[in-house]
């Protein structure tokens, strides 16, 4: 089992969400299925079940390692680098 060191290095408290929905989807007219929050900068992006996968794109562009679900009632974090829940 791989150990994730990225979660320990995240800002505390976590960044304020930059918006209520995925800004790239708003711009492009695509529709998020679910939303994810970048825990480095507060970017909100859509999940991998969404047509445009902007959360993953944000990770690729920025290198920011960890996001969490932005869905009400859900509570988990995912490390893009290690591919583990953290
Ligand atoms: Zn990690
Ligand atoms: Zn999106
Ligand atoms: Zn970010």
């Amino acid at each position: 089992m791989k150990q994730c060191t990225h979660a320990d290095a995240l800002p505390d408290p976590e960044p304020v969400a930059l918006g209520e929905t995925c800004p790239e989807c708003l711009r492009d007219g695509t529709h998020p299925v679910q939303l994810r929050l970048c825990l480095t900068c507060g970017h909100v992006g859509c999940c991998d079940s969404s047509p445009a996968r902007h959360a993953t794109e944000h990770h690729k562009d920025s290198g920011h390692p960890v996001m969490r679900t932005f869905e009400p009632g859900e509570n988990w974090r995912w490390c893009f680098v290690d591919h583990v829940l953290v």
Side-chain angles (χ1 to χ4, degrees):
M1 188 78 184
K2 207 165 173 185
Q3 279 287 337
C4 174
T5 56
H6 304 98
D8 291 338
L10 293 172
D12 184 21
E14 71 180 32
V16 176
L18 297 179
E20 290 295 307
T21 189
C22 175
E24 285 94 349
C25 278
L26 274 184
R27 183 195 64 202
D28 297 344
T30 47
H31 295 282
V33 175
Q34 292 197 326
L35 295 170
R36 307 292 180 236
L37 175 71
C38 174
L39 290 178
T40 301
C41 72
H43 173 272
V44 175
C46 51
C47 72
D48 280 357
S49 301
S50 307
R53 303 182 176 186
H54 288 123
T56 296
E57 192 168 290
H58 174 69
H59 160 67
K60 286 181 183 160
D61 288 348
S62 67
H64 296 163
V66 182
M67 55 90 157
R68 72 161 168 83
T69 177
F70 197 50
E71 296 298 313
E74 288 188 7
N75 181 24
W76 50 264
R77 303 186 298 179
W78 174 257
C79 179
F80 284 111
V81 180
D82 298 313
H83 300 280
V84 289
L85 291 168
V86 291

XYZ file of all heavy atoms in Angstrom:
668
model
N 0.850 -1.207 0.000
C 0.000 0.000 0.000
C 0.877 1.245 0.000
O 1.746 1.403 0.847
C -0.901 -0.025 1.248
C -1.966 1.068 1.264
S -3.367 0.677 0.207
C -4.308 2.201 0.388
N 0.659 2.081 -0.972
C 1.459 3.290 -1.100
C 1.035 4.333 -0.059
O -0.147 4.523 0.167
C 1.240 3.851 -2.511
C 2.391 4.664 -3.037
C 2.212 4.845 -4.545
C 3.248 5.782 -5.101
N 3.004 6.039 -6.522
N 2.015 4.997 0.534
C 1.715 6.049 1.495
C 1.647 7.390 0.789
O 2.566 7.758 0.065
C 2.807 6.101 2.564
C 2.640 5.070 3.662
C 1.488 5.415 4.608
O 1.108 6.570 4.708
N 0.936 4.416 5.266
N 0.560 8.105 1.017
C 0.417 9.437 0.419
C 0.960 10.483 1.377
O 0.540 10.559 2.519
C -1.047 9.717 0.121
S -1.304 11.400 -0.455
N 1.914 11.279 0.885
C 2.463 12.358 1.712
C 1.834 13.699 1.369
O 2.089 14.694 2.029
C 3.985 12.477 1.501
O 4.246 12.665 0.117
C 4.698 11.214 1.972
N 1.017 13.714 0.307
C 0.464 14.989 -0.151
C -0.595 15.545 0.793
O -0.690 16.753 0.986
C -0.135 14.830 -1.546
C 0.846 14.294 -2.534
N 0.905 12.966 -2.890
C 1.836 14.923 -3.219
C 1.886 12.793 -3.762
N 2.469 13.955 -3.979
N -1.388 14.646 1.373
C -2.488 15.107 2.233
C -1.950 15.874 3.437
O -2.549 16.860 3.869
C -3.337 13.925 2.682
N -0.801 15.449 3.969
C -0.232 16.115 5.137
C 0.286 17.514 4.813
O 0.431 18.340 5.702
C 0.932 15.286 5.698
C 0.442 13.998 6.316
O -0.749 13.936 6.684
O 1.249 13.055 6.415
N 0.586 17.758 3.544
C 1.168 19.033 3.143
C 0.114 20.046 2.691
O 0.453 21.141 2.262
C 2.168 18.807 2.011
N -1.148 19.701 2.793
C -2.199 20.607 2.331
C -2.360 21.792 3.270
O -2.064 21.683 4.452
C -3.534 19.854 2.245
C -3.607 18.769 1.183
C -4.906 17.985 1.349
C -3.516 19.366 -0.206
N -2.845 22.932 2.737
C -3.126 24.077 3.610
C -4.184 23.726 4.661
O -5.108 22.968 4.381
C -3.646 25.164 2.652
C -3.690 24.583 1.296
C -3.172 23.180 1.344
N -4.010 24.279 5.851
C -4.954 24.040 6.936
C -5.262 25.363 7.604
O -4.339 25.984 8.146
C -4.331 23.053 7.930
C -5.304 22.689 9.045
O -6.524 22.858 8.845
O -4.841 22.249 10.111
N -6.472 25.881 7.609
C -7.681 25.240 7.082
C -7.680 25.142 5.556
O -6.892 25.823 4.906
C -8.805 26.183 7.559
C -8.143 27.517 7.713
C -6.734 27.229 8.160
N -8.553 24.334 5.045
C -8.605 24.137 3.594
C -9.052 25.420 2.894
O -9.715 26.262 3.492
C -9.545 22.985 3.242
C -11.016 23.279 3.451
C -11.884 22.075 3.071
O -11.454 20.925 3.220
O -13.008 22.315 2.627
N -8.644 25.624 1.627
C -8.992 26.848 0.905
C -10.506 26.990 0.703
O -11.222 25.999 0.625
C -8.283 26.683 -0.445
C -7.980 25.230 -0.570
C -7.849 24.690 0.822
N -10.932 28.245 0.645
C -12.340 28.531 0.368
C -12.621 28.204 -1.090
O -11.818 28.511 -1.975
C -12.640 30.017 0.654
C -14.079 30.361 0.266
C -12.392 30.331 2.117
N -13.749 27.561 -1.360
C -14.122 27.226 -2.734
C -14.235 28.493 -3.573
O -14.824 29.488 -3.133
C -15.443 26.472 -2.742
N -13.672 28.455 -4.769
C -13.669 29.631 -5.641
C -15.026 29.871 -6.288
O -15.257 30.926 -6.863
C -12.609 29.474 -6.733
C -11.156 29.379 -6.243
C -10.210 29.194 -7.416
C -10.766 30.610 -5.440
N -15.910 28.889 -6.235
C -17.224 29.070 -6.842
C -18.153 27.948 -6.441
O -17.769 27.046 -5.701
N -19.365 28.022 -6.933
C -20.385 27.029 -6.597
C -20.408 25.878 -7.591
O -20.957 24.829 -7.324
C -21.768 27.702 -6.587
C -21.970 28.665 -5.450
C -21.952 27.955 -4.100
O -22.707 26.991 -3.938
O -21.157 28.359 -3.234
N -19.834 26.100 -8.761
C -19.832 25.060 -9.777
C -18.548 25.162 -10.590
O -17.697 26.003 -10.317
C -21.080 25.163 -10.680
O -21.152 24.018 -11.533
C -21.029 26.431 -11.531
N -18.429 24.282 -11.581
C -17.213 24.232 -12.382
C -17.184 25.399 -13.371
O -18.039 25.478 -14.251
C -17.188 22.894 -13.121
S -15.807 22.745 -14.262
N -16.220 26.324 -13.240
C -16.195 27.505 -14.113
C -15.917 27.156 -15.574
O -16.418 27.829 -16.480
C -15.070 28.372 -13.525
C -14.231 27.438 -12.730
C -15.126 26.327 -12.258
N -15.144 26.102 -15.813
C -14.867 25.703 -17.197
C -16.134 25.164 -17.862
O -16.354 25.367 -19.055
C -13.746 24.668 -17.249
C -12.355 25.252 -17.021
C -11.903 25.179 -15.569
O -12.743 24.876 -14.696
O -10.720 25.443 -15.305
N -16.957 24.470 -17.088
C -18.229 23.994 -17.642
C -19.164 25.162 -17.949
O -19.847 25.172 -18.975
C -18.911 23.024 -16.685
S -18.280 21.334 -16.816
N -19.184 26.145 -17.067
C -19.995 27.338 -17.325
C -19.558 27.987 -18.623
O -20.373 28.377 -19.455
C -19.832 28.351 -16.185
C -20.725 28.217 -14.969
C -20.448 29.390 -14.026
C -22.195 28.198 -15.352
N -18.246 28.087 -18.803
C -17.684 28.725 -19.977
C -17.999 27.932 -21.249
O -18.358 28.504 -22.280
C -16.163 28.851 -19.803
C -15.432 29.575 -20.927
C -13.935 29.322 -20.830
N -13.631 27.899 -21.026
C -12.521 27.305 -20.599
N -11.622 27.986 -19.943
N -12.328 26.013 -20.826
N -17.877 26.600 -21.161
C -17.979 25.769 -22.356
C -19.386 25.238 -22.598
O -19.643 24.623 -23.637
C -17.022 24.575 -22.246
C -15.568 25.029 -22.188
O -15.296 26.189 -22.529
O -14.716 24.222 -21.782
N -20.269 25.409 -21.613
C -21.629 24.923 -21.790
C -21.782 23.431 -21.567
O -22.778 22.843 -21.977
N -20.790 22.798 -20.916
C -20.917 21.394 -20.540
C -21.494 21.319 -19.129
O -21.503 22.307 -18.401
C -19.561 20.677 -20.607
O -18.578 21.480 -19.943
C -19.122 20.471 -22.045
N -21.960 20.124 -18.762
C -22.671 20.002 -17.489
C -21.959 19.045 -16.552
O -21.769 17.884 -16.882
C -24.100 19.540 -17.729
C -24.900 20.547 -18.497
N -25.418 21.679 -17.896
C -25.228 20.625 -19.802
C -26.043 22.396 -18.813
N -25.935 21.781 -19.984
N -21.579 19.528 -15.361
C -20.942 18.652 -14.376
C -21.909 17.588 -13.870
O -23.085 17.875 -13.649
C -20.569 19.599 -13.230
C -20.828 20.982 -13.711
C -21.762 20.886 -14.866
N -21.409 16.378 -13.684
C -22.200 15.334 -13.021
C -22.057 15.505 -11.509
O -23.037 15.596 -10.780
C -21.747 13.936 -13.477
C -22.479 12.850 -12.687
C -22.012 13.765 -14.970
N -20.806 15.549 -11.044
C -20.531 15.857 -9.648
C -19.344 16.811 -9.606
O -18.604 16.938 -10.569
C -20.205 14.588 -8.861
C -21.403 13.670 -8.721
C -21.191 12.642 -7.610
O -20.077 12.183 -7.377
N -22.260 12.294 -6.939
N -19.182 17.466 -8.437
C -18.136 18.471 -8.307
C -17.069 18.032 -7.319
O -17.347 17.317 -6.351
C -18.743 19.807 -7.859
C -19.691 20.440 -8.880
C -20.428 21.616 -8.247
C -18.936 20.881 -10.128
N -15.840 18.502 -7.590
C -14.677 18.214 -6.751
C -14.004 19.531 -6.394
O -13.964 20.443 -7.208
C -13.676 17.336 -7.516
C -14.292 16.070 -8.114
C -14.715 15.095 -7.047
N -15.301 13.889 -7.610
C -16.520 13.446 -7.287
N -17.289 14.128 -6.467
N -16.965 12.318 -7.789
N -13.438 19.594 -5.193
C -12.771 20.803 -4.719
C -11.281 20.543 -4.568
O -10.887 19.610 -3.854
C -13.364 21.221 -3.365
C -12.697 22.399 -2.662
C -12.990 23.702 -3.396
C -13.163 22.502 -1.219
N -10.465 21.358 -5.235
C -9.014 21.259 -5.083
C -8.629 21.761 -3.699
O -8.972 22.882 -3.318
C -8.311 22.088 -6.155
S -6.524 22.162 -5.915
N -7.888 20.950 -2.939
C -7.543 21.324 -1.566
C -6.255 22.127 -1.484
O -5.806 22.468 -0.399
C -7.453 20.062 -0.698
C -8.822 19.406 -0.453
C -8.662 18.129 0.366
C -9.784 20.359 0.239
N -5.665 22.455 -2.626
C -4.524 23.364 -2.633
C -4.982 24.801 -2.870
O -4.526 25.718 -2.196
C -3.507 22.953 -3.709
O -3.066 21.628 -3.440
C -2.313 23.902 -3.711
N -5.909 24.997 -3.802
C -6.256 26.373 -4.208
C -7.747 26.675 -4.179
O -8.139 27.811 -4.396
C -5.702 26.661 -5.603
S -6.582 25.804 -6.926
N -8.603 25.689 -3.949
C -10.034 25.965 -3.900
C -10.736 25.904 -5.242
O -11.924 26.226 -5.342
N -10.018 25.490 -6.291
C -10.648 25.339 -7.610
C -11.758 24.296 -7.541
O -11.587 23.237 -6.944
C -9.590 24.904 -8.621
C -10.140 24.550 -9.981
N -10.574 23.280 -10.294
C -10.329 25.299 -11.091
C -11.005 23.272 -11.554
N -10.864 24.480 -12.054
N -12.902 24.625 -8.143
C -13.998 23.668 -8.235
C -14.027 23.123 -9.655
O -14.004 23.884 -10.628
C -15.343 24.343 -7.879
C -16.508 23.383 -8.083
C -15.318 24.849 -6.435
N -14.043 21.807 -9.775
C -14.055 21.184 -11.094
C -14.965 19.979 -11.111
O -15.330 19.439 -10.058
N -15.311 19.555 -12.317
C -16.247 18.434 -12.431
C -15.495 17.102 -12.416
O -14.314 17.012 -12.738
C -17.088 18.600 -13.691
S -16.152 18.907 -15.185
N -16.209 16.057 -12.047
C -15.619 14.746 -11.788
C -15.355 13.975 -13.085
O -15.713 14.410 -14.175
C -16.556 13.938 -10.905
S -18.036 13.393 -11.779
N -14.778 12.802 -12.937
C -14.426 12.001 -14.111
C -15.640 11.357 -14.772
O -15.513 10.777 -15.853
C -13.413 10.926 -13.718
C -12.003 11.493 -13.640
O -11.826 12.690 -13.946
O -11.081 10.754 -13.285
N -16.798 11.408 -14.150
C -18.017 10.943 -14.812
C -18.655 12.051 -15.650
O -19.603 11.805 -16.382
C -19.038 10.467 -13.773
O -18.490 9.418 -13.013
N -18.146 13.259 -15.514
C -18.648 14.392 -16.293
C -17.989 14.391 -17.658
O -16.889 13.852 -17.818
C -18.342 15.697 -15.564
O -18.814 15.649 -14.232
N -18.629 15.014 -18.648
C -18.080 14.958 -20.002
C -16.692 15.583 -20.129
O -15.858 15.103 -20.899
C -19.107 15.722 -20.847
C -20.102 16.315 -19.916
C -19.949 15.650 -18.581
N -16.399 16.615 -19.365
C -15.147 17.343 -19.596
C -14.059 17.074 -18.546
O -12.905 17.419 -18.764
C -15.435 18.834 -19.670
N -14.402 16.485 -17.418
C -13.409 16.064 -16.409
C -12.464 17.190 -16.015
O -11.236 17.033 -16.036
C -12.607 14.874 -16.925
C -13.501 13.716 -17.305
C -12.701 12.525 -17.761
N -13.585 11.392 -18.023
C -13.161 10.171 -18.325
N -11.882 9.915 -18.412
N -14.022 9.209 -18.541
N -13.021 18.314 -15.622
C -12.178 19.481 -15.355
C -11.370 19.368 -14.062
O -10.341 20.033 -13.925
C -13.033 20.751 -15.340
C -13.496 21.145 -16.704
N -14.827 21.301 -17.035
C -12.797 21.399 -17.835
C -14.917 21.648 -18.318
N -13.714 21.703 -18.827
N -11.819 18.566 -13.099
C -11.009 18.399 -11.883
C -9.686 17.717 -12.216
O -8.627 18.123 -11.742
C -11.781 17.610 -10.826
N -9.758 16.682 -13.050
C -8.540 15.991 -13.475
C -7.686 16.903 -14.341
O -6.455 16.945 -14.206
C -8.911 14.712 -14.247
O -9.595 13.833 -13.350
C -7.668 14.008 -14.775
N -8.341 17.673 -15.194
C -7.604 18.625 -16.027
C -6.887 19.657 -15.163
O -5.739 20.024 -15.422
C -8.586 19.326 -16.974
C -7.911 20.114 -18.066
C -8.915 20.532 -19.127
O -9.408 19.662 -19.873
O -9.227 21.726 -19.188
N -7.563 20.113 -14.099
C -6.946 21.074 -13.188
C -5.695 20.473 -12.545
O -4.673 21.139 -12.434
C -7.949 21.492 -12.110
C -7.343 22.367 -11.058
N -6.925 23.662 -11.324
C -7.038 22.143 -9.749
C -6.400 24.181 -10.218
N -6.462 23.282 -9.255
N -5.787 19.216 -12.141
C -4.608 18.563 -11.564
C -3.466 18.514 -12.577
O -2.316 18.791 -12.258
C -4.954 17.151 -11.093
C -3.745 16.280 -10.950
N -2.777 16.516 -10.000
C -3.316 15.210 -11.662
C -1.817 15.618 -10.133
N -2.113 14.814 -11.125
N -3.784 18.157 -13.822
C -2.735 18.057 -14.841
C -2.105 19.419 -15.112
O -0.893 19.529 -15.306
C -3.319 17.487 -16.133
C -3.591 15.987 -16.035
C -4.158 15.475 -17.352
C -4.502 13.991 -17.259
N -5.459 13.588 -18.294
N -2.934 20.459 -15.141
C -2.430 21.805 -15.420
C -1.624 22.369 -14.256
O -0.614 23.045 -14.452
C -3.587 22.760 -15.713
C -4.223 22.485 -17.065
O -3.635 21.722 -17.854
O -5.306 23.028 -17.325
N -2.090 22.120 -13.039
C -1.549 22.826 -11.873
C -0.578 21.974 -11.066
O 0.237 22.508 -10.321
C -2.697 23.257 -10.961
O -3.322 22.094 -10.402
N -0.714 20.656 -11.153
C 0.066 19.783 -10.294
C -0.492 19.659 -8.885
O 0.091 18.965 -8.056
N -1.604 20.314 -8.612
C -2.198 20.216 -7.274
C -2.651 18.776 -7.020
O -3.407 18.219 -7.817
C -3.371 21.197 -7.138
C -2.938 22.631 -7.249
N -3.819 23.666 -7.504
C -1.706 23.180 -7.145
C -3.141 24.812 -7.534
N -1.863 24.549 -7.327
N -2.205 18.168 -5.914
C -2.314 16.708 -5.791
C -3.640 16.162 -5.281
O -4.012 15.050 -5.629
C -1.192 16.360 -4.808
C -1.016 17.593 -3.967
C -1.333 18.757 -4.867
N -4.315 16.919 -4.400
C -5.438 16.306 -3.679
C -6.713 17.116 -3.873
O -6.704 18.342 -3.780
C -5.132 16.178 -2.167
C -6.292 15.499 -1.433
C -3.841 15.401 -1.935
N -7.799 16.434 -4.129
C -9.116 17.069 -4.154
C -10.046 16.318 -3.217
O -9.769 15.191 -2.826
C -9.673 17.100 -5.575
C -9.738 15.739 -6.248
S -11.263 14.828 -5.999
C -11.225 13.722 -7.428
N -11.113 16.984 -2.857
C -12.144 16.275 -2.109
C -13.463 16.420 -2.839
O -13.618 17.279 -3.719
C -12.260 16.783 -0.673
C -12.888 18.171 -0.521
C -13.366 18.334 0.909
N -13.737 19.697 1.259
C -14.931 20.243 0.991
N -15.838 19.582 0.296
N -15.194 21.483 1.386
N -14.416 15.576 -2.466
C -15.744 15.728 -3.030
C -16.338 17.063 -2.602
O -16.092 17.531 -1.482
C -16.665 14.578 -2.602
O -17.968 14.808 -3.111
C -16.713 14.432 -1.091
N -17.091 17.676 -3.493
C -17.778 18.942 -3.209
C -19.283 18.691 -3.170
O -20.078 19.601 -3.326
C -17.410 19.974 -4.289
C -17.704 21.406 -3.915
C -17.288 21.935 -2.711
C -18.386 22.245 -4.791
C -17.556 23.263 -2.379
C -18.654 23.571 -4.478
C -18.236 24.088 -3.261
N -19.650 17.423 -2.994
C -21.062 17.047 -2.965
C -21.560 17.020 -1.519
O -20.874 16.500 -0.633
C -21.250 15.659 -3.591
C -20.877 15.600 -5.065
C -21.753 16.513 -5.912
O -22.984 16.485 -5.731
O -21.208 17.255 -6.745
N -22.762 17.583 -1.283
C -23.319 17.568 0.073
C -23.451 16.137 0.601
O -23.866 15.235 -0.125
C -24.711 18.207 -0.084
C -24.755 18.803 -1.445
C -23.676 18.154 -2.265
N -23.065 15.932 1.847
C -23.232 14.625 2.473
C -22.121 13.637 2.165
O -22.097 12.543 2.720
N -21.197 13.997 1.272
C -20.072 13.113 0.992
C -18.823 13.653 1.672
O -18.674 14.848 1.853
C -19.819 13.018 -0.528
C -20.885 12.228 -1.255
C -20.503 11.991 -2.724
O -19.381 12.317 -3.120
O -21.368 11.475 -3.448
N -17.931 12.758 2.039
C -16.735 13.173 2.750
C -15.588 12.227 2.425
O -15.384 11.232 3.100
C -16.999 13.196 4.268
C -15.781 13.659 5.033
O -14.933 14.363 4.495
N -15.670 13.253 6.287
N -14.871 12.527 1.371
C -13.665 11.753 1.056
C -12.722 12.621 0.247
O -13.113 13.634 -0.340
C -14.005 10.473 0.297
C -14.897 10.641 -0.901
C -16.249 10.472 -0.919
C -14.523 11.020 -2.225
N -16.725 10.729 -2.189
C -15.697 11.053 -3.012
C -13.299 11.330 -2.836
C -15.688 11.396 -4.370
C -13.282 11.680 -4.198
C -14.478 11.697 -4.936
N -11.457 12.247 0.264
C -10.426 12.968 -0.491
C -9.682 11.976 -1.367
O -9.530 10.817 -1.019
C -9.440 13.648 0.472
C -10.115 14.588 1.447
C -9.105 15.347 2.271
N -8.287 14.452 3.102
C -7.320 14.868 3.906
N -7.041 16.149 4.011
N -6.624 14.005 4.608
N -9.194 12.478 -2.479
C -8.521 11.632 -3.452
C -7.204 12.270 -3.848
O -7.156 13.463 -4.154
C -9.416 11.473 -4.690
C -8.780 10.734 -5.821
C -8.271 11.286 -6.966
C -8.601 9.317 -5.943
N -7.784 10.287 -7.775
C -7.975 9.077 -7.173
C -8.914 8.235 -5.111
C -7.645 7.796 -7.612
C -8.594 6.959 -5.544
C -7.964 6.752 -6.790
N -6.134 11.473 -3.817
C -4.836 11.954 -4.288
C -4.646 11.526 -5.735
O -4.623 10.330 -6.038
C -3.701 11.427 -3.423
S -2.099 12.002 -4.028
N -4.517 12.515 -6.637
C -4.328 12.242 -8.059
C -2.972 11.604 -8.330
O -2.800 10.884 -9.315
C -4.409 13.548 -8.861
C -5.793 14.090 -9.051
C -6.188 15.254 -8.418
C -6.699 13.463 -9.900
C -7.458 15.782 -8.611
C -7.967 13.989 -10.103
C -8.345 15.130 -9.450
N -1.999 11.929 -7.501
C -0.639 11.447 -7.743
C -0.517 9.973 -7.361
O 0.007 9.158 -8.119
C 0.379 12.300 -6.952
C 1.798 11.796 -7.192
C 0.267 13.770 -7.359
N -1.026 9.631 -6.188
C -0.882 8.268 -5.687
C -2.073 7.372 -6.026
O -2.019 6.169 -5.805
C -0.700 8.291 -4.157
C 0.559 9.037 -3.760
O 1.620 8.772 -4.358
O 0.490 9.892 -2.864
N -3.153 7.987 -6.516
C -4.360 7.229 -6.847
C -4.899 6.461 -5.638
O -5.165 5.264 -5.711
C -4.108 6.267 -8.027
C -3.695 6.973 -9.273
N -4.580 7.604 -10.109
C -2.465 7.195 -9.783
C -3.904 8.164 -11.108
N -2.632 7.938 -10.929
N -4.983 7.187 -4.528
C -5.541 6.590 -3.311
C -6.478 7.581 -2.644
O -6.337 8.798 -2.783
C -4.447 6.191 -2.291
C -3.660 4.984 -2.774
C -3.532 7.366 -1.985
N -7.420 7.039 -1.892
C -8.231 7.866 -0.990
C -7.361 8.211 0.206
O -6.656 7.353 0.733
C -9.478 7.106 -0.549
C -10.508 6.877 -1.663
C -11.561 5.883 -1.206
C -11.175 8.181 -2.078
N -7.411 9.476 0.611
C -6.530 9.916 1.715
C -7.335 10.608 2.809
O -8.437 11.011 2.611
C -5.422 10.864 1.226
C -4.440 10.102 0.365
C -5.978 12.063 0.479
Zn -0.481 11.640 -2.561
Zn -16.266 21.048 -15.733
Zn -5.813 23.670 -7.386
